[in-house]
PDB file of all heavy atoms in Angstrom:
ATOM      1  N   ARG A   1       0.917  -1.187  -0.040  1.00  0.00           N
ATOM      2  CA  ARG A   1       0.042   0.023   0.028  1.00  0.00           C
ATOM      3  C   ARG A   1       0.985   1.287   0.045  1.00  0.00           C
ATOM      4  O   ARG A   1       1.773   1.335   0.799  1.00  0.00           O
ATOM      5  CB  ARG A   1      -0.907  -0.007   1.188  1.00  0.00           C
ATOM      6  CG  ARG A   1      -2.069  -1.043   1.141  1.00  0.00           C
ATOM      7  CD  ARG A   1      -3.032  -0.554   0.093  1.00  0.00           C
ATOM      8  NE  ARG A   1      -4.389  -1.223   0.425  1.00  0.00           N
ATOM      9  CZ  ARG A   1      -5.431  -0.773  -0.189  1.00  0.00           C
ATOM     10  NH1 ARG A   1      -5.450   0.185  -1.252  1.00  0.00           N
ATOM     11  NH2 ARG A   1      -6.663  -1.357   0.026  1.00  0.00           N
ATOM     12  N   ILE A   2       0.536   2.147  -0.951  1.00  0.00           N
ATOM     13  CA  ILE A   2       1.371   3.445  -0.947  1.00  0.00           C
ATOM     14  C   ILE A   2       0.521   4.581  -0.828  1.00  0.00           C
ATOM     15  O   ILE A   2      -0.564   4.630  -1.448  1.00  0.00           O
ATOM     16  CB  ILE A   2       2.100   3.528  -2.438  1.00  0.00           C
ATOM     17  CG1 ILE A   2       2.809   2.244  -2.722  1.00  0.00           C
ATOM     18  CG2 ILE A   2       2.862   4.593  -2.561  1.00  0.00           C
ATOM     19  CD1 ILE A   2       4.007   2.003  -1.998  1.00  0.00           C
ATOM     20  N   ASN A   3       0.948   5.480  -0.026  1.00  0.00           N
ATOM     21  CA  ASN A   3       0.052   6.696   0.175  1.00  0.00           C
ATOM     22  C   ASN A   3       0.346   7.734  -0.934  1.00  0.00           C
ATOM     23  O   ASN A   3       1.218   7.538  -1.771  1.00  0.00           O
ATOM     24  CB  ASN A   3       0.293   7.381   1.594  1.00  0.00           C
ATOM     25  CG  ASN A   3       1.591   7.799   1.838  1.00  0.00           C
ATOM     26  OD1 ASN A   3       2.357   8.143   0.977  1.00  0.00           O
ATOM     27  ND2 ASN A   3       1.993   7.832   3.134  1.00  0.00           N
ATOM     28  N   GLU A   4      -0.264   8.896  -0.869  1.00  0.00           N
ATOM     29  CA  GLU A   4      -0.244   9.773  -2.030  1.00  0.00           C
ATOM     30  C   GLU A   4       1.200  10.538  -2.142  1.00  0.00           C
ATOM     31  O   GLU A   4       1.529  11.013  -3.259  1.00  0.00           O
ATOM     32  CB  GLU A   4      -1.393  10.896  -1.753  1.00  0.00           C
ATOM     33  CG  GLU A   4      -2.697  10.164  -2.094  1.00  0.00           C
ATOM     34  CD  GLU A   4      -3.806  11.234  -1.652  1.00  0.00           C
ATOM     35  OE1 GLU A   4      -3.845  11.752  -0.657  1.00  0.00           O
ATOM     36  OE2 GLU A   4      -4.612  11.418  -2.678  1.00  0.00           O
ATOM     37  N   ASN A   5       1.967  10.569  -1.079  1.00  0.00           N
ATOM     38  CA  ASN A   5       3.300  11.064  -1.298  1.00  0.00           C
ATOM     39  C   ASN A   5       4.342  10.010  -1.576  1.00  0.00           C
ATOM     40  O   ASN A   5       5.526  10.361  -1.634  1.00  0.00           O
ATOM     41  CB  ASN A   5       3.613  11.856  -0.012  1.00  0.00           C
ATOM     42  CG  ASN A   5       3.899  11.019   1.170  1.00  0.00           C
ATOM     43  OD1 ASN A   5       3.948   9.815   1.153  1.00  0.00           O
ATOM     44  ND2 ASN A   5       3.889  11.611   2.416  1.00  0.00           N
ATOM     45  N   GLY A   6       3.848   8.769  -1.848  1.00  0.00           N
ATOM     46  CA  GLY A   6       4.816   7.763  -2.296  1.00  0.00           C
ATOM     47  C   GLY A   6       5.397   6.836  -1.236  1.00  0.00           C
ATOM     48  O   GLY A   6       6.171   6.020  -1.390  1.00  0.00           O
ATOM     49  N   SER A   7       5.016   7.124   0.027  1.00  0.00           N
ATOM     50  CA  SER A   7       5.533   6.322   1.182  1.00  0.00           C
ATOM     51  C   SER A   7       4.695   5.071   1.256  1.00  0.00           C
ATOM     52  O   SER A   7       3.572   4.969   1.023  1.00  0.00           O
ATOM     53  CB  SER A   7       5.506   7.136   2.451  1.00  0.00           C
ATOM     54  OG  SER A   7       6.211   8.379   2.452  1.00  0.00           O
ATOM     55  N   ILE A   8       5.414   3.999   1.713  1.00  0.00           N
ATOM     56  CA  ILE A   8       4.781   2.763   1.995  1.00  0.00           C
ATOM     57  C   ILE A   8       4.053   2.703   3.331  1.00  0.00           C
ATOM     58  O   ILE A   8       4.559   3.299   4.291  1.00  0.00           O
ATOM     59  CB  ILE A   8       5.882   1.601   2.035  1.00  0.00           C
ATOM     60  CG1 ILE A   8       6.486   1.458   0.617  1.00  0.00           C
ATOM     61  CG2 ILE A   8       5.215   0.266   2.362  1.00  0.00           C
ATOM     62  CD1 ILE A   8       7.643   0.401   0.432  1.00  0.00           C
ATOM     63  N   VAL A   9       2.900   2.175   3.343  1.00  0.00           N
ATOM     64  CA  VAL A   9       1.996   2.145   4.477  1.00  0.00           C
ATOM     65  C   VAL A   9       2.307   0.829   5.340  1.00  0.00           C
ATOM     66  O   VAL A   9       2.228  -0.222   4.760  1.00  0.00           O
ATOM     67  CB  VAL A   9       0.468   2.175   4.088  1.00  0.00           C
ATOM     68  CG1 VAL A   9      -0.371   2.023   5.434  1.00  0.00           C
ATOM     69  CG2 VAL A   9       0.312   3.485   3.441  1.00  0.00           C
ATOM     70  N   PHE A  10       2.595   1.021   6.674  1.00  0.00           N
ATOM     71  CA  PHE A  10       2.880  -0.107   7.524  1.00  0.00           C
ATOM     72  C   PHE A  10       1.491  -0.400   8.137  1.00  0.00           C
ATOM     73  O   PHE A  10       0.816   0.375   8.635  1.00  0.00           O
ATOM     74  CB  PHE A  10       3.943   0.265   8.475  1.00  0.00           C
ATOM     75  CG  PHE A  10       5.256   0.153   7.919  1.00  0.00           C
ATOM     76  CD1 PHE A  10       5.866   1.215   7.291  1.00  0.00           C
ATOM     77  CD2 PHE A  10       6.077  -0.994   8.074  1.00  0.00           C
ATOM     78  CE1 PHE A  10       7.142   1.165   6.717  1.00  0.00           C
ATOM     79  CE2 PHE A  10       7.460  -1.031   7.557  1.00  0.00           C
ATOM     80  CZ  PHE A  10       7.947   0.029   6.904  1.00  0.00           C
ATOM     81  N   PHE A  11       1.148  -1.662   8.500  1.00  0.00           N
ATOM     82  CA  PHE A  11       0.104  -2.283   9.145  1.00  0.00           C
ATOM     83  C   PHE A  11       0.315  -2.314  10.569  1.00  0.00           C
ATOM     84  O   PHE A  11       1.500  -2.282  11.022  1.00  0.00           O
ATOM     85  CB  PHE A  11      -0.609  -3.359   8.405  1.00  0.00           C
ATOM     86  CG  PHE A  11      -1.325  -3.041   7.160  1.00  0.00           C
ATOM     87  CD1 PHE A  11      -0.689  -2.572   6.036  1.00  0.00           C
ATOM     88  CD2 PHE A  11      -2.691  -3.183   7.153  1.00  0.00           C
ATOM     89  CE1 PHE A  11      -1.303  -2.172   4.965  1.00  0.00           C
ATOM     90  CE2 PHE A  11      -3.436  -2.685   5.957  1.00  0.00           C
ATOM     91  CZ  PHE A  11      -2.704  -2.277   4.928  1.00  0.00           C
ATOM     92  N   ILE A  12      -0.703  -2.780  11.343  1.00  0.00           N
ATOM     93  CA  ILE A  12      -0.586  -2.853  12.812  1.00  0.00           C
ATOM     94  C   ILE A  12       0.341  -3.944  13.192  1.00  0.00           C
ATOM     95  O   ILE A  12       1.009  -3.934  14.220  1.00  0.00           O
ATOM     96  CB  ILE A  12      -2.106  -3.037  13.394  1.00  0.00           C
ATOM     97  CG1 ILE A  12      -2.006  -2.975  15.042  1.00  0.00           C
ATOM     98  CG2 ILE A  12      -2.564  -4.409  13.124  1.00  0.00           C
ATOM     99  CD1 ILE A  12      -3.306  -2.858  15.653  1.00  0.00           C
ATOM    100  N   ASP A  13       0.601  -4.775  12.365  1.00  0.00           N
ATOM    101  CA  ASP A  13       1.524  -5.978  12.682  1.00  0.00           C
ATOM    102  C   ASP A  13       2.957  -5.761  12.238  1.00  0.00           C
ATOM    103  O   ASP A  13       3.833  -6.447  12.383  1.00  0.00           O
ATOM    104  CB  ASP A  13       1.060  -7.274  12.000  1.00  0.00           C
ATOM    105  CG  ASP A  13       0.829  -7.170  10.506  1.00  0.00           C
ATOM    106  OD1 ASP A  13       1.249  -6.157   9.930  1.00  0.00           O
ATOM    107  OD2 ASP A  13       0.391  -8.042   9.863  1.00  0.00           O
ATOM    108  N   GLY A  14       3.180  -4.404  11.769  1.00  0.00           N
ATOM    109  CA  GLY A  14       4.551  -3.996  11.327  1.00  0.00           C
ATOM    110  C   GLY A  14       4.897  -4.424   9.945  1.00  0.00           C
ATOM    111  O   GLY A  14       6.071  -4.188   9.531  1.00  0.00           O
ATOM    112  N   LEU A  15       4.071  -5.200   9.211  1.00  0.00           N
ATOM    113  CA  LEU A  15       4.353  -5.685   7.980  1.00  0.00           C
ATOM    114  C   LEU A  15       3.796  -4.819   6.911  1.00  0.00           C
ATOM    115  O   LEU A  15       2.879  -4.028   7.008  1.00  0.00           O
ATOM    116  CB  LEU A  15       3.831  -7.083   7.788  1.00  0.00           C
ATOM    117  CG  LEU A  15       4.355  -8.126   8.821  1.00  0.00           C
ATOM    118  CD1 LEU A  15       3.646  -9.408   8.568  1.00  0.00           C
ATOM    119  CD2 LEU A  15       5.917  -8.287   8.818  1.00  0.00           C
ATOM    120  N   ILE A  16       4.411  -4.825   5.714  1.00  0.00           N
ATOM    121  CA  ILE A  16       3.902  -4.119   4.539  1.00  0.00           C
ATOM    122  C   ILE A  16       3.508  -5.023   3.402  1.00  0.00           C
ATOM    123  O   ILE A  16       2.700  -4.574   2.575  1.00  0.00           O
ATOM    124  CB  ILE A  16       4.986  -3.094   4.029  1.00  0.00           C
ATOM    125  CG1 ILE A  16       6.370  -3.825   3.573  1.00  0.00           C
ATOM    126  CG2 ILE A  16       5.296  -2.108   5.050  1.00  0.00           C
ATOM    127  CD1 ILE A  16       7.401  -2.921   2.966  1.00  0.00           C
ATOM    128  N   LEU A  17       4.014  -6.161   3.288  1.00  0.00           N
ATOM    129  CA  LEU A  17       3.725  -7.133   2.135  1.00  0.00           C
ATOM    130  C   LEU A  17       2.367  -7.815   2.553  1.00  0.00           C
ATOM    131  O   LEU A  17       2.308  -8.571   3.483  1.00  0.00           O
ATOM    132  CB  LEU A  17       4.769  -8.101   1.843  1.00  0.00           C
ATOM    133  CG  LEU A  17       4.689  -8.819   0.595  1.00  0.00           C
ATOM    134  CD1 LEU A  17       4.749  -7.956  -0.611  1.00  0.00           C
ATOM    135  CD2 LEU A  17       5.862  -9.947   0.566  1.00  0.00           C
ATOM    136  N   ARG A  18       1.313  -7.428   1.788  1.00  0.00           N
ATOM    137  CA  ARG A  18      -0.086  -8.085   2.134  1.00  0.00           C
ATOM    138  C   ARG A  18      -0.624  -8.857   0.975  1.00  0.00           C
ATOM    139  O   ARG A  18      -0.217  -8.784  -0.120  1.00  0.00           O
ATOM    140  CB  ARG A  18      -1.081  -6.925   2.403  1.00  0.00           C
ATOM    141  CG  ARG A  18      -0.500  -5.746   3.046  1.00  0.00           C
ATOM    142  CD  ARG A  18       0.015  -5.951   4.466  1.00  0.00           C
ATOM    143  NE  ARG A  18      -1.023  -6.549   5.330  1.00  0.00           N
ATOM    144  CZ  ARG A  18      -0.740  -6.805   6.698  1.00  0.00           C
ATOM    145  NH1 ARG A  18       0.436  -6.668   7.132  1.00  0.00           N
ATOM    146  NH2 ARG A  18      -1.721  -7.431   7.418  1.00  0.00           N
ATOM    147  N   PHE A  19      -1.605  -9.743   1.368  1.00  0.00           N
ATOM    148  CA  PHE A  19      -2.299 -10.493   0.309  1.00  0.00           C
ATOM    149  C   PHE A  19      -3.075  -9.455  -0.460  1.00  0.00           C
ATOM    150  O   PHE A  19      -3.823  -8.671   0.014  1.00  0.00           O
ATOM    151  CB  PHE A  19      -3.199 -11.562   1.035  1.00  0.00           C
ATOM    152  CG  PHE A  19      -4.221 -12.101   0.152  1.00  0.00           C
ATOM    153  CD1 PHE A  19      -3.802 -12.703  -1.164  1.00  0.00           C
ATOM    154  CD2 PHE A  19      -5.522 -11.988   0.473  1.00  0.00           C
ATOM    155  CE1 PHE A  19      -4.874 -13.286  -2.009  1.00  0.00           C
ATOM    156  CE2 PHE A  19      -6.514 -12.539  -0.469  1.00  0.00           C
ATOM    157  CZ  PHE A  19      -6.159 -13.174  -1.701  1.00  0.00           C
ATOM    158  N   CYS A  20      -3.099  -9.679  -1.834  1.00  0.00           N
ATOM    159  CA  CYS A  20      -3.789  -8.661  -2.675  1.00  0.00           C
ATOM    160  C   CYS A  20      -4.975  -9.472  -3.322  1.00  0.00           C
ATOM    161  O   CYS A  20      -4.780 -10.116  -4.379  1.00  0.00           O
ATOM    162  CB  CYS A  20      -2.792  -8.142  -3.748  1.00  0.00           C
ATOM    163  SG  CYS A  20      -3.653  -6.996  -4.868  1.00  0.00           S
ATOM    164  N   VAL A  21      -6.091  -9.340  -2.802  1.00  0.00           N
ATOM    165  CA  VAL A  21      -7.297  -9.973  -3.265  1.00  0.00           C
ATOM    166  C   VAL A  21      -7.727  -9.383  -4.612  1.00  0.00           C
ATOM    167  O   VAL A  21      -8.315 -10.084  -5.528  1.00  0.00           O
ATOM    168  CB  VAL A  21      -8.481  -9.782  -2.281  1.00  0.00           C
ATOM    169  CG1 VAL A  21      -9.072  -8.356  -2.276  1.00  0.00           C
ATOM    170  CG2 VAL A  21      -9.639 -10.880  -2.650  1.00  0.00           C
ATOM    171  N   VAL A  22      -7.320  -8.216  -4.975  1.00  0.00           N
ATOM    172  CA  VAL A  22      -7.627  -7.547  -6.156  1.00  0.00           C
ATOM    173  C   VAL A  22      -6.972  -8.147  -7.339  1.00  0.00           C
ATOM    174  O   VAL A  22      -7.340  -8.118  -8.485  1.00  0.00           O
ATOM    175  CB  VAL A  22      -7.177  -6.103  -6.150  1.00  0.00           C
ATOM    176  CG1 VAL A  22      -7.545  -5.384  -7.599  1.00  0.00           C
ATOM    177  CG2 VAL A  22      -8.078  -5.320  -5.051  1.00  0.00           C
ATOM    178  N   SER A  23      -5.765  -8.897  -7.011  1.00  0.00           N
ATOM    179  CA  SER A  23      -4.858  -9.473  -8.059  1.00  0.00           C
ATOM    180  C   SER A  23      -5.406 -10.831  -8.602  1.00  0.00           C
ATOM    181  O   SER A  23      -4.781 -11.271  -9.649  1.00  0.00           O
ATOM    182  CB  SER A  23      -3.454  -9.678  -7.619  1.00  0.00           C
ATOM    183  OG  SER A  23      -3.533 -10.693  -6.540  1.00  0.00           O
ATOM    184  N   MET A  24      -6.505 -11.308  -8.200  1.00  0.00           N
ATOM    185  CA  MET A  24      -6.908 -12.641  -8.635  1.00  0.00           C
ATOM    186  C   MET A  24      -7.050 -12.786 -10.142  1.00  0.00           C
ATOM    187  O   MET A  24      -7.664 -11.992 -10.825  1.00  0.00           O
ATOM    188  CB  MET A  24      -8.273 -12.947  -7.964  1.00  0.00           C
ATOM    189  CG  MET A  24      -8.954 -14.316  -8.465  1.00  0.00           C
ATOM    190  SD  MET A  24      -8.042 -15.739  -7.641  1.00  0.00           S
ATOM    191  CE  MET A  24      -8.903 -15.808  -6.083  1.00  0.00           C
ATOM    192  N   MET A  25      -6.396 -13.739 -10.755  1.00  0.00           N
ATOM    193  CA  MET A  25      -6.501 -14.122 -12.007  1.00  0.00           C
ATOM    194  C   MET A  25      -6.994 -15.483 -12.104  1.00  0.00           C
ATOM    195  O   MET A  25      -6.654 -16.494 -11.413  1.00  0.00           O
ATOM    196  CB  MET A  25      -5.178 -14.097 -12.813  1.00  0.00           C
ATOM    197  CG  MET A  25      -5.234 -14.605 -14.144  1.00  0.00           C
ATOM    198  SD  MET A  25      -3.473 -14.696 -14.993  1.00  0.00           S
ATOM    199  CE  MET A  25      -3.244 -12.993 -15.234  1.00  0.00           C
ATOM    200  N   VAL A  26      -8.143 -15.848 -12.922  1.00  0.00           N
ATOM    201  CA  VAL A  26      -8.696 -17.069 -13.026  1.00  0.00           C
ATOM    202  C   VAL A  26      -8.853 -17.543 -14.481  1.00  0.00           C
ATOM    203  O   VAL A  26      -9.023 -16.643 -15.462  1.00  0.00           O
ATOM    204  CB  VAL A  26     -10.064 -17.119 -12.318  1.00  0.00           C
ATOM    205  CG1 VAL A  26     -10.000 -16.700 -10.871  1.00  0.00           C
ATOM    206  CG2 VAL A  26     -11.092 -16.134 -13.048  1.00  0.00           C
ATOM    207  N   HIS A  27      -8.929 -18.794 -14.646  1.00  0.00           N
ATOM    208  CA  HIS A  27      -9.320 -19.362 -15.986  1.00  0.00           C
ATOM    209  C   HIS A  27     -10.816 -19.111 -16.207  1.00  0.00           C
ATOM    210  O   HIS A  27     -11.601 -19.203 -15.253  1.00  0.00           O
ATOM    211  CB  HIS A  27      -9.055 -20.898 -16.129  1.00  0.00           C
ATOM    212  CG  HIS A  27      -9.263 -21.429 -17.406  1.00  0.00           C
ATOM    213  ND1 HIS A  27     -10.497 -21.728 -17.999  1.00  0.00           N
ATOM    214  CD2 HIS A  27      -8.343 -21.615 -18.507  1.00  0.00           C
ATOM    215  CE1 HIS A  27     -10.335 -22.260 -19.241  1.00  0.00           C
ATOM    216  NE2 HIS A  27      -8.952 -22.095 -19.602  1.00  0.00           N
ATOM    217  N   ARG A  28     -11.236 -18.630 -17.375  1.00  0.00           N
ATOM    218  CA  ARG A  28     -12.565 -18.255 -17.602  1.00  0.00           C
ATOM    219  C   ARG A  28     -13.643 -19.240 -17.211  1.00  0.00           C
ATOM    220  O   ARG A  28     -14.759 -18.985 -16.893  1.00  0.00           O
ATOM    221  CB  ARG A  28     -12.874 -17.697 -18.983  1.00  0.00           C
ATOM    222  CG  ARG A  28     -12.778 -18.721 -20.049  1.00  0.00           C
ATOM    223  CD  ARG A  28     -12.907 -18.015 -21.457  1.00  0.00           C
ATOM    224  NE  ARG A  28     -14.317 -17.311 -21.463  1.00  0.00           N
ATOM    225  CZ  ARG A  28     -14.471 -15.885 -21.354  1.00  0.00           C
ATOM    226  NH1 ARG A  28     -13.495 -15.226 -21.448  1.00  0.00           N
ATOM    227  NH2 ARG A  28     -15.784 -15.400 -21.275  1.00  0.00           N
ATOM    228  N   SER A  29     -13.215 -20.520 -17.361  1.00  0.00           N
ATOM    229  CA  SER A  29     -14.228 -21.509 -16.936  1.00  0.00           C
ATOM    230  C   SER A  29     -14.708 -21.568 -15.417  1.00  0.00           C
ATOM    231  O   SER A  29     -15.835 -22.048 -15.168  1.00  0.00           O
ATOM    232  CB  SER A  29     -13.624 -23.065 -17.148  1.00  0.00           C
ATOM    233  OG  SER A  29     -12.501 -23.134 -16.339  1.00  0.00           O
ATOM    234  N   VAL A  30     -13.879 -20.874 -14.704  1.00  0.00           N
ATOM    235  CA  VAL A  30     -14.185 -20.830 -13.249  1.00  0.00           C
ATOM    236  C   VAL A  30     -15.627 -20.101 -13.084  1.00  0.00           C
ATOM    237  O   VAL A  30     -16.453 -20.405 -12.240  1.00  0.00           O
ATOM    238  CB  VAL A  30     -13.106 -20.025 -12.456  1.00  0.00           C
ATOM    239  CG1 VAL A  30     -13.635 -19.587 -11.071  1.00  0.00           C
ATOM    240  CG2 VAL A  30     -11.966 -20.798 -12.354  1.00  0.00           C
ATOM    241  N   PHE A  31     -15.808 -19.085 -13.948  1.00  0.00           N
ATOM    242  CA  PHE A  31     -17.189 -18.422 -13.882  1.00  0.00           C
ATOM    243  C   PHE A  31     -18.446 -19.224 -14.297  1.00  0.00           C
ATOM    244  O   PHE A  31     -19.545 -18.664 -14.089  1.00  0.00           O
ATOM    245  CB  PHE A  31     -17.076 -17.061 -14.635  1.00  0.00           C
ATOM    246  CG  PHE A  31     -16.121 -16.105 -14.077  1.00  0.00           C
ATOM    247  CD1 PHE A  31     -14.927 -15.886 -14.680  1.00  0.00           C
ATOM    248  CD2 PHE A  31     -16.403 -15.320 -12.926  1.00  0.00           C
ATOM    249  CE1 PHE A  31     -13.891 -14.934 -14.225  1.00  0.00           C
ATOM    250  CE2 PHE A  31     -15.545 -14.478 -12.438  1.00  0.00           C
ATOM    251  CZ  PHE A  31     -14.210 -14.277 -13.130  1.00  0.00           C
ATOM    252  N   SER A  32     -18.168 -20.408 -14.737  1.00  0.00           N
ATOM    253  CA  SER A  32     -19.412 -21.233 -15.158  1.00  0.00           C
ATOM    254  C   SER A  32     -19.935 -21.970 -13.914  1.00  0.00           C
ATOM    255  O   SER A  32     -20.967 -22.430 -13.961  1.00  0.00           O
ATOM    256  CB  SER A  32     -18.886 -22.349 -16.232  1.00  0.00           C
ATOM    257  OG  SER A  32     -17.891 -23.140 -15.674  1.00  0.00           O
ATOM    258  N   TYR A  33     -19.067 -22.080 -12.823  1.00  0.00           N
ATOM    259  CA  TYR A  33     -19.620 -22.773 -11.690  1.00  0.00           C
ATOM    260  C   TYR A  33     -19.412 -22.029 -10.331  1.00  0.00           C
ATOM    261  O   TYR A  33     -19.653 -22.511  -9.275  1.00  0.00           O
ATOM    262  CB  TYR A  33     -19.137 -24.198 -11.568  1.00  0.00           C
ATOM    263  CG  TYR A  33     -17.525 -24.354 -11.696  1.00  0.00           C
ATOM    264  CD1 TYR A  33     -16.778 -24.295 -10.530  1.00  0.00           C
ATOM    265  CD2 TYR A  33     -16.880 -24.400 -12.905  1.00  0.00           C
ATOM    266  CE1 TYR A  33     -15.556 -24.481 -10.590  1.00  0.00           C
ATOM    267  CE2 TYR A  33     -15.541 -24.535 -13.044  1.00  0.00           C
ATOM    268  CZ  TYR A  33     -14.856 -24.630 -11.902  1.00  0.00           C
ATOM    269  OH  TYR A  33     -13.422 -24.608 -11.964  1.00  0.00           O
ATOM    270  N   ILE A  34     -18.697 -20.896 -10.365  1.00  0.00           N
ATOM    271  CA  ILE A  34     -18.584 -20.089  -9.250  1.00  0.00           C
ATOM    272  C   ILE A  34     -19.286 -18.744  -9.421  1.00  0.00           C
ATOM    273  O   ILE A  34     -19.193 -18.139 -10.528  1.00  0.00           O
ATOM    274  CB  ILE A  34     -17.030 -19.801  -8.894  1.00  0.00           C
ATOM    275  CG1 ILE A  34     -16.479 -21.095  -8.431  1.00  0.00           C
ATOM    276  CG2 ILE A  34     -17.003 -18.646  -7.792  1.00  0.00           C
ATOM    277  CD1 ILE A  34     -15.015 -21.017  -8.071  1.00  0.00           C
ATOM    278  N   PRO A  35     -20.119 -18.351  -8.543  1.00  0.00           N
ATOM    279  CA  PRO A  35     -20.837 -17.028  -8.644  1.00  0.00           C
ATOM    280  C   PRO A  35     -19.938 -15.904  -8.968  1.00  0.00           C
ATOM    281  O   PRO A  35     -18.825 -15.870  -8.474  1.00  0.00           O
ATOM    282  CB  PRO A  35     -21.625 -16.858  -7.261  1.00  0.00           C
ATOM    283  CG  PRO A  35     -21.578 -18.071  -6.640  1.00  0.00           C
ATOM    284  CD  PRO A  35     -20.402 -18.923  -7.126  1.00  0.00           C
ATOM    285  N   LYS A  36     -20.386 -15.092  -9.780  1.00  0.00           N
ATOM    286  CA  LYS A  36     -19.637 -13.711 -10.112  1.00  0.00           C
ATOM    287  C   LYS A  36     -19.683 -12.887  -8.898  1.00  0.00           C
ATOM    288  O   LYS A  36     -20.111 -13.246  -7.768  1.00  0.00           O
ATOM    289  CB  LYS A  36     -20.183 -13.031 -11.375  1.00  0.00           C
ATOM    290  CG  LYS A  36     -19.957 -13.988 -12.690  1.00  0.00           C
ATOM    291  CD  LYS A  36     -20.573 -13.146 -13.930  1.00  0.00           C
ATOM    292  CE  LYS A  36     -20.398 -14.021 -15.176  1.00  0.00           C
ATOM    293  NZ  LYS A  36     -20.897 -13.293 -16.353  1.00  0.00           N
ATOM    294  N   PHE A  37     -19.310 -11.708  -9.159  1.00  0.00           N
ATOM    295  CA  PHE A  37     -19.293 -10.733  -8.063  1.00  0.00           C
ATOM    296  C   PHE A  37     -20.528 -10.148  -7.555  1.00  0.00           C
ATOM    297  O   PHE A  37     -21.404  -9.928  -8.399  1.00  0.00           O
ATOM    298  CB  PHE A  37     -18.287  -9.446  -8.433  1.00  0.00           C
ATOM    299  CG  PHE A  37     -16.788  -9.884  -8.831  1.00  0.00           C
ATOM    300  CD1 PHE A  37     -16.571 -10.127 -10.107  1.00  0.00           C
ATOM    301  CD2 PHE A  37     -15.920  -9.981  -7.752  1.00  0.00           C
ATOM    302  CE1 PHE A  37     -15.174 -10.565 -10.437  1.00  0.00           C
ATOM    303  CE2 PHE A  37     -14.601 -10.318  -7.964  1.00  0.00           C
ATOM    304  CZ  PHE A  37     -14.227 -10.552  -9.232  1.00  0.00           C
ATOM    305  N   ARG A  38     -20.692 -10.107  -6.190  1.00  0.00           N
ATOM    306  CA  ARG A  38     -21.830  -9.613  -5.616  1.00  0.00           C
ATOM    307  C   ARG A  38     -22.122  -8.101  -6.069  1.00  0.00           C
ATOM    308  O   ARG A  38     -21.086  -7.425  -6.054  1.00  0.00           O
ATOM    309  CB  ARG A  38     -21.809  -9.765  -4.071  1.00  0.00           C
ATOM    310  CG  ARG A  38     -23.181  -9.493  -3.470  1.00  0.00           C
ATOM    311  CD  ARG A  38     -24.075 -10.706  -3.284  1.00  0.00           C
ATOM    312  NE  ARG A  38     -23.524 -11.748  -2.678  1.00  0.00           N
ATOM    313  CZ  ARG A  38     -24.082 -13.009  -2.471  1.00  0.00           C
ATOM    314  NH1 ARG A  38     -25.331 -13.172  -2.860  1.00  0.00           N
ATOM    315  NH2 ARG A  38     -23.532 -13.955  -1.697  1.00  0.00           N
ATOM    316  N   SER A  39     -23.308  -7.620  -6.105  1.00  0.00           N
ATOM    317  CA  SER A  39     -23.656  -6.150  -6.405  1.00  0.00           C
ATOM    318  C   SER A  39     -23.388  -5.403  -5.084  1.00  0.00           C
ATOM    319  O   SER A  39     -24.420  -4.743  -4.600  1.00  0.00           O
ATOM    320  CB  SER A  39     -24.970  -6.028  -7.009  1.00  0.00           C
ATOM    321  OG  SER A  39     -25.162  -6.699  -8.159  1.00  0.00           O
ATOM    322  N   SER A  40     -22.218  -5.275  -4.728  1.00  0.00           N
ATOM    323  CA  SER A  40     -21.834  -4.517  -3.510  1.00  0.00           C
ATOM    324  C   SER A  40     -20.901  -3.372  -3.863  1.00  0.00           C
ATOM    325  O   SER A  40     -20.175  -3.376  -4.901  1.00  0.00           O
ATOM    326  CB  SER A  40     -21.099  -5.513  -2.406  1.00  0.00           C
ATOM    327  OG  SER A  40     -20.722  -4.711  -1.311  1.00  0.00           O
ATOM    328  N   LEU A  41     -20.851  -2.400  -2.966  1.00  0.00           N
ATOM    329  CA  LEU A  41     -19.968  -1.298  -3.208  1.00  0.00           C
ATOM    330  C   LEU A  41     -18.566  -1.609  -2.889  1.00  0.00           C
ATOM    331  O   LEU A  41     -17.652  -1.240  -3.432  1.00  0.00           O
ATOM    332  CB  LEU A  41     -20.326  -0.005  -2.394  1.00  0.00           C
ATOM    333  CG  LEU A  41     -19.534   1.151  -2.369  1.00  0.00           C
ATOM    334  CD1 LEU A  41     -19.329   1.764  -3.822  1.00  0.00           C
ATOM    335  CD2 LEU A  41     -20.056   2.225  -1.428  1.00  0.00           C
TER     336      LEU A  41
END
C-alpha cells in the first residue's frame, strides 16, 4: 500500500507485504460454476 506522497504504509503487525485480493487471475471456466461478483460497493 502506497500513500499519496509515495511512502509505503505499514500495518498494525508491522508488515507491509499483504495478500492482494484484487490481483486474482482465473481461468474463464471458473465463472461457469462459481458465482460472479456480488452487487456490492
Side-chain angles (χ1 to χ4, degrees):
R1 285 291 203 168
I2 307 292
N3 63 27
E4 290 174 303
N5 65 16
S7 299
I8 295 174
V9 177
F10 286 81
F11 282 69
I12 192 170
D13 56 10
L15 302 179
I16 59 174
L17 195 62
R18 322 299 302 183
F19 165 58
C20 181
V21 69
V22 177
S23 69
M24 177 72 81
M25 175 187 285
V26 302
H27 191 274
R28 70 176 304 109
S29 63
V30 167
F31 291 105
S32 65
Y33 52 93
I34 291 182
K36 292 183 182 179
F37 296 95
R38 190 85 64 175
S39 294
S40 174
L41 177 62

